[in-house]
Amino acid sequence: MANITIETLTKRFDDVVAVDDVNVDIEDGEFLVLVGPSGCGKTTTLRMIAGLETPSDGEIRFGEQLMNYRTPQNRDVAMVFQDYALYPHMTVRGNMKFGLEEEPGFTDEEREQRVEEVAELLDISELLDRRPEELSGGQQQRVALGRAIVRDPEVFLMDEPLSNLDAKLRAQMRTELQQLQEQLGVTTVYVTHDQTEAMTMSDRMVVMNDGILQQVGEPLELYHEPNNVFVAEFIGEPSMNFLDGTYEDDGFVSEQLTYPFDARITEALDGVSPGSELRLGIRPEDVDLLESDAGSEDAVREDHTIEMNVTVVEPMGNENVVHLKFPDSSSTTEDLMAIVDGMRQIDAGTSVTVHIPPEAVHVFESASGDALHNRQLEYEGQAVRI
């Protein structure tokens, strides 16, 4: 197995910088996911690890071995592609055995035994004599994985391998891939634009945008403590709400809202000048829609409540996504989104009292997008900063 070190990795295509000064250490046996929008540089980074692209600058090391100029076949990696890339004229057995044909030190009997062992692991033994055209998408995906596993590589590289599957099968394969990777213990680098895949599958995530690494960390760390507005907006579905305003009188002030900050936030904003432009962030699940009969219990929330209009309610079964606008808003889209319990009845066209709890807000600098303060989590009744 191998740990992978990526140092100041850069890739240029003429005047276009596809990957810009990326640094990541990938631990032996880790499941690392590269995630970001189309064109962010994640696949180019994966192709450089595989040896399909040569870095313009920087280094890629497997352990202590420099890999920059090694050919793909000399890197001991196995790649699983988005389109599976199975040979249509070969059976499943032939496709899986193909990668072993050029491997020295195997007899024909050993190659057959290895294929059958991996087929049993992936529950495709009964498919070994079929051709790819006779298989479903999920079965073809298992064959592509089997062809990679059968070689027993040091590193698995996966380029959006689930994107061609339907939603239900994709969810099933996410679970199977996690279990398989844990069982094999092989260092895995996985590329996806789907942040749900990244959150649910990874040990750690690398978020990229425009070729630049935005943040590296565990999924919940990126969700609750984003480095900047891009990470906060990209991670999470629905994404984080943002309101634009300025820093005035130890609080956030916009055309629609005056929001006093508590001591924790003002301490984090020490050094920020009055009048500075800020972005206030709040996750939809942290937005409270108060019941009409909340009474005095919620009176203490008054400084952090606002009246808003419900424009659209999206029932999801287990939850409702509620779209909200300020009464005199000129925005053509919602100003906030909230997530409430699916059994709660909320109608479009009604007015609601919205509470934004101060312990759940994020504050970002408008110009740079950098985080100035991130929310707190509650563990067993105690507020803990992550």
Side-chain angles (χ1 to χ4, degrees):
M1 305 306 172
N3 62 292
I4 302 173
T5 302
I6 297 173
E7 293 183 353
T8 63
L9 188 66
T10 300
K11 180 63 180 179
R12 303 182 190 90
F13 295 98
D14 297 325
D15 295 332
V16 177
V17 181
V19 177
D20 189 4
D21 195 27
V22 168
N23 294 273
V24 183
D25 289 325
I26 307 171
E27 297 179 5
D28 184 15
E30 184 175 21
F31 196 123
L32 185 91
V33 176
L34 301 175
V35 64
S38 297
C40 73
K42 56 188 184 295
T43 294
T44 301
T45 301
L46 191 78
R47 289 173 62 84
M48 285 190 282
I49 297 173
L52 301 175
E53 300 284 356
T54 302
S56 302
D57 290 303
E59 294 184 351
I60 300 172
R61 295 181 179 275
F62 290 3
E64 299 299 321
Q65 302 297 315
L66 182 66
M67 292 288 159
N68 285 38
Y69 305 107
R70 286 199 185 185
T71 58
Q73 58 266 36
N74 291 323
R75 296 196 182 200
D76 198 12
V77 301
M79 195 157 181
V80 180
F81 297 92
Q82 178 178 349
D83 61 359
Y84 316 137
L86 302 178
Y87 296 107
H89 64 288
M90 292 183 179
T91 62
V92 169
R93 188 187 305 275
N95 269 281
M96 291 178 62
K97 191 166 62 173
F98 184 80
L100 289 177
E101 295 292 349
E102 303 300 323
E103 295 282 345
F106 286 96
T107 64
D108 287 342
E109 291 78 11
E110 288 171 336
R111 291 188 179 96
E112 286 290 342
Q113 182 180 358
R114 179 65 179 159
V115 167
E116 290 176 4
E117 288 173 352
V118 173
E120 184 176 354
L121 175 67
L122 295 171
D123 196 24
I124 55 173
S125 298
E126 73 280 5
L127 306 178
L128 286 174
D129 296 321
R130 297 187 189 180
R131 296 186 187 277
E133 64 184 14
E134 301 175 273
L135 306 178
S136 68
Q139 290 170 336
Q140 290 185 51
Q141 180 61 75
R142 286 184 174 86
V143 175
L145 287 170
R147 184 175 57 188
I149 294 169
V150 77
R151 292 184 47 233
D152 193 22
E154 286 197 356
V155 178
F156 284 143
L157 304 176
M158 301 187 184
D159 188 8
E160 303 199 44
L162 307 184
S163 60
N164 290 335
L165 303 180
D166 62 64
K168 184 176 181 180
L169 186 54
R170 190 160 60 243
Q172 177 185 336
M173 287 300 298
R174 284 203 304 261
T175 302
E176 292 186 9
L177 269 177
Q178 291 176 78
Q179 294 172 340
L180 184 63
Q181 194 271 340
E182 289 177 5
Q183 182 175 350
L184 297 173
V186 178
T187 306
T188 301
V189 183
Y190 185 104
V191 162
T192 182
H193 65 274
D194 185 334
Q195 51 90 18
T196 301
E197 276 185 23
M199 288 285 292
T200 56
M201 297 179 69
S202 64
D203 294 323
R204 286 190 304 153
M205 298 164 56
V206 175
V207 181
M208 298 183 67
N209 187 40
D210 291 334
I212 299 172
L213 188 153
Q214 302 293 315
Q215 189 169 355
V216 182
E218 297 179 3
L220 290 181
E221 177 186 349
L222 270 62
Y223 187 83
H224 293 296
E225 197 170 31
N227 278 352
N228 53 45
V229 167
F230 177 82
V231 176
E233 187 172 25
F234 189 80
I235 302 299
E237 180 60 36
S239 63
M240 184 182 289
N241 296 295
F242 295 101
L243 297 171
D244 292 307
T246 57
Y247 187 38
E248 304 286 352
D249 298 324
D250 290 336
F252 174 86
V253 179
S254 70
E255 182 180 347
Q256 309 284 356
L257 174 69
T258 297
Y259 187 88
F261 288 147
D262 65 13
R264 295 183 296 261
I265 301 177
T266 54
E267 182 180 351
L269 299 186
D270 183 39
V272 177
S273 302
S276 298
E277 295 184 349
L278 301 177
R279 299 194 82 183
L280 191 71
I282 182 76
R283 293 282 181 193
E285 64 270 22
D286 292 323
V287 177
D288 294 334
L289 303 189
L290 303 184
E291 301 284 357
S292 59
D293 59 350
S296 59
E297 180 182 344
D298 289 300
V300 294
R301 308 183 184 188
E302 185 175 351
D303 285 345
H304 300 111
T305 59
I306 45 178
E307 295 298 316
M308 300 189 73
N309 297 327
V310 178
T311 58
V312 175
V313 178
E314 297 179 277
M316 308 295 289
N318 64 320
E319 64 187 22
N320 293 321
V321 180
V322 183
H323 297 246
L324 302 160
K325 287 178 69 69
F326 293 107
D328 54 351
S329 174
S330 60
S331 172
T332 57
T333 60
E334 74 278 343
D335 293 307
L336 288 177
M337 279 194 290
I339 294 177
V340 301
D341 186 86
M343 298 300 291
R344 185 171 172 186
Q345 182 67 40
I346 297 178
D347 297 320
T350 59
S351 177
V352 294
T353 301
V354 177
H355 174 237
I356 301 177
E359 67 273 11
V361 301
H362 302 251
V363 183
F364 303 89
E365 184 182 41
S366 291
S368 66
D370 292 340
L372 301 174
H373 168 81
N374 281 310
R375 67 156 299 166
Q376 293 184 326
L377 295 179
E378 294 287 338
Y379 290 108
E380 297 181 357
Q382 292 186 334
V384 179
R385 181 72 182 274
I386 61 171

